[in-house]
Amino acid sequence: MVTYIAGSGAIGCRFGYSLAKNGKDVVLLDNWDVHIKAIQENGLKIVGDVEDTIQIPIMYPTEATREADLIILFTKSMQLENMLQEITHLIGEGTKVMCLLNGLGHEDIIRKYVPEKNIIIGVTIWTAGLAGPGTAILKGKGSVNIQSLDESGVEKAKEIVQLLNESGLNATYDENVFPSIWRKACVNGASNATCALLDCTVGEFFGSENGFNIARAITHEFVQVGLASGIALDEAEIMAYVEEASIKAAHHYPSMHQDLVKNHRPTEVDYINGVIARKGPQLGIKTPYCQMITDLVHAKEAVLAIR
Ligand code: NAD
């Protein structure tokens, strides 16, 4: 059974490493030339909780030839459609395509390239970083929750849960994964763009009264739009979850801070706060905080001339 990781940055390397380390047939696909070259020449280096180096195949998506049994999508949201176009030749009748990206609405893009019966959607709270090309920083523990979009795909999705568990990735089949996807989007929506804009850690943002109130207002907008979209969310429970996550991540600069401030790369804001800013007005819900946050991030991208 061949598994491709389509988008092998930080978290893609974590999943690729775990699968390869447990003897699974896994191939990394990526488009970052120096990263590909580093892994091809020196292997994938792991630092953090363990220090390791593993030989693992990595190539450009267009170079891969074997039809996939499973493709795990791990691009940034704005790279997803391009990646799907580059891997259509790997997608056969029975190929399962699993999306664990942060953000909302990725299934709408995937449906253009993959039949509904083969799409698996989910969320992971594993984390990872990159120390540089070819080196992943893996710390802490996490989990994966997945669901087949179509009832006919449930058995196969449960086999994928088993594959992930054999690789130490702590996966569960979830009969209704969307509330968990939205819960994580609330955490990202409250802290990611805001910390990037204010150039601060999660703890610094939540530690100020104004920051805390902004996080609360953003979370309220996410929950209202989620509820109106048919997602079962409990605002008090979600707010408590967002606060708890802010305490656990108090010393961290979220990934959008790293993308925007540190690396001057485009952000995923259109797939997090931007979704709420777009959907809210369509549903008759006011979403001024998410609109402003999205506009400010794009303004900062423009100031930094990020494309
Ligand atoms: P990433 O930025 O590390 O990698 C995404 C893609 O960008 C990869 O193809 C990678 O090779 C490329 N890339 C990375 N740095 C680059 C650079 N400097 N120049 C050129 N290309 C570069 O993203 P990620 O953290 O692996 O996240 C992928 C998806 O998974 C996102 O939707 C993210 O929100 C989500 N996610 C991430 C984590 C995490 O802890 N990293 C956890 C859960 C979900």
Side-chain angles (χ1 to χ4, degrees):
M1 168 168 176
V2 60
T3 299
Y4 289 100
I5 309 287
S8 300
I11 196 79
C13 282
R14 178 185 271 284
F15 276 62
Y17 173 72
S18 299
L19 287 160
K21 198 71 190 166
N22 288 285
K24 310 301 179 194
D25 183 0
V26 59
V27 178
L28 306 182
L29 303 177
D30 210 72
N31 281 308
W32 186 15
D33 47 3
V34 283
H35 186 55
I36 295 172
K37 200 157 178 266
I39 295 173
Q40 285 174 340
E41 286 179 1
N42 309 313
L44 171 62
K45 290 194 190 317
I46 304 296
V47 296
D49 290 348
V50 289
E51 297 231 343
D52 199 2
T53 299
I54 191 165
Q55 299 304 321
I56 183 167
I58 181 164
M59 60 191 73
Y60 291 99
T62 47
E63 290 177 332
T65 53
R66 282 190 292 161
E67 186 173 297
D69 294 290
L70 172 64
I71 297 173
I72 306 179
L73 298 165
F74 263 137
T75 61
K76 281 282 166 70
S77 303
M78 53 284 183
Q79 303 166 327
L80 178 61
E81 183 138 21
N82 184 53
M83 176 60 80
L84 285 162
Q85 286 166 358
E86 289 186 324
I87 58 173
T88 47
H89 64 292
L90 305 176
I91 301 174
E93 182 59 28
T95 303
K96 296 291 172 186
V97 177
M98 180 164 83
C99 176
L100 299 175
L101 273 62
N102 283 334
L104 300 168
H106 302 309
E107 59 279 10
D108 296 335
I109 296 173
I110 301 168
R111 276 193 191 99
K112 293 197 232 167
Y113 303 90
V114 183
E116 178 109 350
K117 69 180 173 68
N118 286 340
I119 302 175
I120 295 167
I121 197 90
V123 61
T124 180
I125 57 165
W126 286 102
T127 61
L130 286 176
T135 304
I137 309 164
L138 307 186
K139 288 182 185 165
K141 300 260 173 259
S143 59
V144 185
N145 281 53
I146 63 168
Q147 182 184 10
S148 169
L149 277 191
D150 190 88
E151 197 58 30
S152 68
V154 173
E155 278 319 303
K156 197 75 191 170
K158 286 184 177 169
E159 286 174 28
I160 292 166
V161 165
Q162 194 182 334
L163 172 87
L164 297 175
N165 284 334
E166 286 166 5
S167 307
L169 286 163
N170 190 20
T172 304
Y173 188 81
D174 197 328
E175 298 294 339
N176 183 14
V177 82
F178 282 93
S180 301
I181 292 174
W182 276 73
R183 195 180 293 121
K184 190 169 187 208
C186 288
V187 171
N188 289 323
S191 57
N192 242 307
T194 43
C195 290
L197 289 166
L198 295 175
D199 192 4
C200 67
T201 62
V202 175
E204 286 166 341
F205 177 63
F206 276 76
S208 84
E209 194 181 336
N210 295 100
F212 185 83
N213 288 338
I214 292 169
R216 196 176 265 281
I218 293 171
T219 305
H220 176 72
E221 290 180 3
F222 268 79
V223 171
Q224 292 309 305
V225 171
L227 286 170
S229 308
I231 311 294
L233 301 172
D234 173 334
E235 185 158 350
E237 186 263 326
I238 298 280
M239 193 60 217
Y241 183 76
V242 168
E243 272 186 69
E244 192 189 311
S246 79
I247 292 163
K248 280 191 195 148
H251 300 294
H252 289 269
Y253 289 97
S255 61
M256 209 180 285
H257 179 281
Q258 289 170 31
D259 288 335
L260 188 64
V261 180
K262 193 167 158 230
N263 297 321
H264 292 194
R265 296 177 67 210
T267 72
E268 296 187 295
V269 73
D270 283 337
Y271 303 85
I272 304 175
N273 304 81
V275 174
I276 303 306
R278 282 193 305 279
K279 284 189 98 168
Q282 292 165 9
L283 296 163
I285 296 164
K286 291 196 171 70
T287 51
Y289 280 84
C290 283
Q291 185 64 61
M292 176 68 93
I293 294 285
T294 306
D295 288 342
L296 282 171
V297 169
H298 286 316
K300 187 151 179 169
E301 287 170 349
V303 168
L304 297 170
I306 296 169
R307 263 165 271 119

